[in-house]
Amino acid sequence: MQLVFASFETSRIYYTLNEGQLWDHHDFDPPTINPRSMKFSPTEDNWILAHDPTNERIYVSTNLGQSWKMIAENVDQSSDYQWDEPGWDSDGSVIYFNQFDPEDRDRGNYTVSLFTQRYPFGAETQQEFDPNLGRHEDFFLLGPYIFAQKTEDNDDTHLLVSYNRQPFQAAQIPTPYDHRSYIVSHIEERQALVIVQHEGGFYNLYLSEETGVYFSLSLRDLVVDYAIDLERIDGVNGTMIANQYVRDTPDVTDAPIRTLLTLDNGGNWELIHPPDLDVYGNPVNCEPPLCSLHFDMDTSAYARLGVFSTESAPGIIIAHGTLGDTLSSNPDLYISRDGGVTWHETLSGSYGANVLDHGGIIVAVNDYHQVSSTVLKYSCNEGLSWNSFTFTDSAMVIYGVITEPGEHTTNVSLYGIESSGSRNWVVVTVDFDPIFSRDCGDDDYYDWLPWDDRSDTDCILGSSIVIERRNITTCCRNGRDYVRETQYSICECNEEDFECDYGYAKPGEDLSGLCVKDPDVELEDPCDNEGTTTYIASTGYRKIAGDVCQGGDERLYAPYEAECCRTPTEPPTTASIPDQWSNLTAYPYH
């Protein structure tokens, strides 16, 4: 294993090739290279990109910083360059970077052009990625997609998309509102999730089909402040939790907030059902839609836990929440064991939490980021009951509950500040291995099916998934090398496997109901093209990206071949639609 560190004071890069036994160093050349700007190649161990902010240049090193080669000038900041991601380029050596024109910038034009370079990195391997893209503001590369934001002379802002490194196309986002900016949240399977800030300051979430060009509205009025209240749940595909402003006026400044859950990648959202009992075992008088569970999703470095999940413990979600019609103050700690479908209140108050041993242990420390503490709580049954452990004699204000990536071990590290007058930073490590009496055997596990309470098929995104879970009543050790068994089977298609196609929307304020023609989107009439006699028509639906269902009701929602048998001004009639669609209100658009 090699480790690399950089020093501002000495303008040097320090490295070890043998896990710290021996160290060597090289001076940055030029010394104006910013050590914090270094970006390491995802495929080559010794290749590094770095930025010189003084001279606005980027450099590349292919020998772990021993020497540097300037590859581009007029690069403004470290967000304007990056390595290509593995799997999307033939050799993995491509560098993408934005370059500005000095003369244009002197005239107040801060737009840039997108270029690439390939190994051996020189003028002969530099080229403009897509000349038709032209001048734009910035770019963002994620998986098969490259996104660029571009503002026209009339101040209209547009999102452009390159899929599989092909030329850019304008993203088609169905909305009557002007765009101010874009946030690419993440990609899920073969689908991009993009947050658009509209004129008026509100944010909507949109989902694309596979190419990232055609979007549909997923969620209105997403809460975006200095953080984005949208959390992707690890370990259960397609599950996300989001906070939404509940407003009846255009102003979202003081609007109340509610929390919603999706189990199908944003195709449908629903209120989160509250637990039946509170932390003291008393009945909870809370029934949707008038009352539901809402989460404080503030995930800044100086706030609460937010919403926590991990691939190593599928199904477990830990979050701070309140009950009511909207989110309120003073949340308590809640845990879901089934991927967000059901919840129980597990501890009263504010906590920092994490999981150990592949989810075999959950740890929590009270008054996280607030007042001092000496006690760490731990649970061996996924939060149903807790024990306490005094981890220090000197009280600390805890700012982090850290485990190794993957949460495979039984060690947890707590870092914080001593409550004494010294105010020193301290790290305390606790090993929970002694609480286990033995290693787990085959009889200690059961098959768990992530399920959706809206479905009788036990299917999510077109497949039934069976995941091995440790019995909740068994406090045995999974072990560092434990590999969780997971089985998949394909399901038949039903309505839950489809979302609204581009140009269609669900009419309700809560985006419920059938997909019908969106009056805000003007679709081209394919029959206007001379010589066109047939075309592929939409039923108003498209399969959710990443959904693998087969058969079943797929024929009711799949596109089909239609004839140009009438003029565009005539209303659709069941006479022009195959029988299987005659009972739908979302008619094909001719």
Side-chain angles (χ1 to χ4, degrees), residues 86-372:
W88 307 111
D89 190 79
S90 57
D91 58 8
S93 69
V94 177
I95 299 168
Y96 289 80
F97 61 93
N98 273 337
Q99 195 172 47
F100 65 84
D101 185 323
E103 294 184 1
D104 282 351
R105 194 167 74 161
D106 290 342
R107 292 191 291 265
N109 184 354
Y110 288 91
T111 57
V112 291
S113 299
L114 181 61
F115 289 87
T116 63
Q117 276 205 18
R118 297 174 180 268
Y119 184 79
F121 307 123
E124 67 280 2
T125 62
Q126 178 175 318
Q127 64 179 17
E128 190 169 1
F129 175 75
D130 180 7
N132 291 324
L133 170 63
R135 313 293 287 178
H136 58 281
E137 283 80 52
D138 52 22
F139 83 101
F140 184 76
L141 192 153
L142 188 63
Y145 307 103
I146 306 176
F147 297 92
Q149 179 173 313
K150 188 172 183 176
T151 302
E152 305 295 346
D153 293 338
N154 60 1
D155 292 333
D156 286 344
T157 303
H158 303 283
L159 183 68
L160 295 105
V161 184
S162 166
Y163 177 64
N164 281 342
R165 307 304 183 258
Q166 297 300 306
F168 279 91
Q169 299 183 63
Q172 304 298 311
I173 300 176
T175 173
Y177 307 107
D178 291 337
H179 301 181
R180 292 179 56 184
S181 64
Y182 306 93
I183 303 170
V184 180
S185 173
H186 61 275
I187 59 173
E188 189 79 23
E189 299 292 341
R190 296 182 299 274
Q191 185 174 43
L193 290 87
V194 172
I195 301 165
V196 180
Q197 182 186 18
H198 294 290
E199 186 176 14
F202 63 94
Y203 296 81
N204 289 343
L205 175 67
Y206 298 88
L207 307 179
S208 77
E209 37 65 76
E210 183 173 351
T211 68
V213 174
Y214 295 97
F215 285 79
S216 60
L217 178 62
S218 173
L219 186 65
R220 296 186 178 98
D221 294 325
L222 180 69
V223 175
V224 178
D225 196 353
Y226 61 87
I228 302 170
D229 282 13
L230 175 66
E231 189 69 31
R232 175 184 181 184
I233 302 304
D234 295 327
V236 184
N237 290 343
T239 300
M240 293 183 288
I241 294 175
N243 276 344
Q244 179 191 52
Y245 286 113
V246 182
R247 62 185 177 112
D248 51 15
T249 67
D251 184 16
V252 299
T253 305
D254 298 318
I257 294 172
R258 68 177 182 179
T259 303
L260 301 173
L261 169 77
T262 177
L263 301 175
D264 58 4
N265 248 9
N268 298 278
W269 294 86
E270 62 186 39
L271 295 170
I272 297 179
H273 202 282
D276 295 327
L277 304 174
D278 66 14
V279 69
Y280 305 107
N282 301 315
V284 172
N285 184 21
C286 181
E287 289 292 334
L290 298 180
C291 179
S292 60
L293 181 57
H294 309 279
F295 294 131
D296 182 348
M297 296 179 65
D298 190 346
T299 55
S300 73
Y302 299 101
R304 295 184 176 88
L305 170 74
V307 175
F308 174 86
S309 62
T310 173
E311 291 280 357
S312 66
I316 295 178
I317 310 175
I318 308 172
H320 284 92
T322 63
L323 299 176
D325 56 347
T326 56
L327 179 66
S328 58
S329 58
N330 300 319
D332 298 314
L333 196 67
Y334 290 80
I335 290 181
S336 173
R337 301 182 54 250
D338 53 13
V341 176
T342 61
W343 295 82
H344 70 274
E345 186 180 1
T346 183
L347 290 171
S348 176
S350 171
Y351 287 81
N354 214 320
V355 302
L356 313 174
D357 189 44
H358 305 267
I361 301 175
I362 299 176
V363 294
V365 60
N366 197 12
D367 293 321
Y368 188 54
H369 288 200
Q370 297 182 39
V371 298
S372 57

Side-chain angles (χ1 to χ4, degrees), residues 504-527:
Y504 296 80
K506 295 182 178 180
E509 279 298 315
D510 57 352
L511 299 182
S512 61
L514 297 176
C515 297
V516 297
K517 180 69 178 63
D518 187 343
D520 295 323
V521 179
E522 184 177 351
L523 296 176
E524 294 182 1
D525 187 347
C527 294

Side-chain angles (χ1 to χ4, degrees), residues 557-577:
Y557 302 96
Y560 66 97
E561 186 176 50
E563 296 182 354
C564 292
C565 54
R566 60 180 178 80
T567 63
T569 57
E570 293 176 348
T573 64
T574 54
S576 62
I577 309 171

Side-chain angles (χ1 to χ4, degrees), residues 293-524:
L293 181 57
H294 309 279
F295 294 131
D296 182 348
M297 296 179 65
D298 190 346
T299 55
S300 73
Y302 299 101
R304 295 184 176 88
L305 170 74
V307 175
F308 174 86
S309 62
T310 173
E311 291 280 357
S312 66
I316 295 178
I317 310 175
I318 308 172
H320 284 92
T322 63
L323 299 176
D325 56 347
T326 56
L327 179 66
S328 58
S329 58
N330 300 319
D332 298 314
L333 196 67
Y334 290 80
I335 290 181
S336 173
R337 301 182 54 250
D338 53 13
V341 176
T342 61
W343 295 82
H344 70 274
E345 186 180 1
T346 183
L347 290 171
S348 176
S350 171
Y351 287 81
N354 214 320
V355 302
L356 313 174
D357 189 44
H358 305 267
I361 301 175
I362 299 176
V363 294
V365 60
N366 197 12
D367 293 321
Y368 188 54
H369 288 200
Q370 297 182 39
V371 298
S372 57
S373 178
T374 61
V375 175
L376 181 67
K377 294 182 179 293
Y378 64 95
S379 172
C380 198
N381 55 15
E382 299 180 351
L384 293 183
S385 63
W386 296 86
N387 297 295
S388 297
F389 172 75
T390 301
F391 65 88
T392 179
D393 294 330
S394 301
M396 296 169 53
V397 178
I398 301 299
Y399 283 91
V401 182
I402 309 299
T403 63
E404 52 85 27
E407 296 81 29
H408 297 163
T409 72
T410 56
N411 295 322
V412 61
S413 295
L414 310 173
Y415 76 86
I417 299 177
E418 289 182 333
S419 298
S420 62
S422 65
R423 305 293 290 176
N424 292 324
W425 283 93
V426 178
V427 177
V428 177
T429 298
V430 180
D431 185 0
F432 281 91
D433 187 75
I435 73 168
F436 297 118
S437 59
R438 60 182 177 85
D439 293 336
C440 296
D442 292 342
D443 294 338
D444 295 308
Y445 296 97
Y446 71 99
D447 291 337
W448 173 62
L449 283 75
W451 59 281
D452 181 352
D453 63 354
R454 296 165 304 171
S455 171
D456 297 326
T457 63
D458 292 327
C459 296
I460 297 177
L461 293 177
S463 67
S464 177
I465 306 173
V466 180
I467 301 175
E468 184 179 76
R469 294 274 294 270
R470 197 194 69 179
N471 289 322
I472 197 171
T473 57
T474 303
C475 190
C476 59
R477 183 189 301 104
N478 288 306
R480 178 193 290 268
D481 299 326
Y482 169 65
V483 178
R484 193 181 305 276
E485 291 187 6
T486 305
Q487 305 171 40
Y488 298 88
S489 59
I490 303 301
C491 301
E492 291 189 344
C493 298
N494 59 33
E495 183 183 356
E496 295 176 359
D497 299 297
F498 297 86
E499 62 190 5
C500 293
D501 199 357
Y502 174 74
Y504 296 80
K506 295 182 178 180
E509 279 298 315
D510 57 352
L511 299 182
S512 61
L514 297 176
C515 297
V516 297
K517 180 69 178 63
D518 187 343
D520 295 323
V521 179
E522 184 177 351
L523 296 176
E524 294 182 1

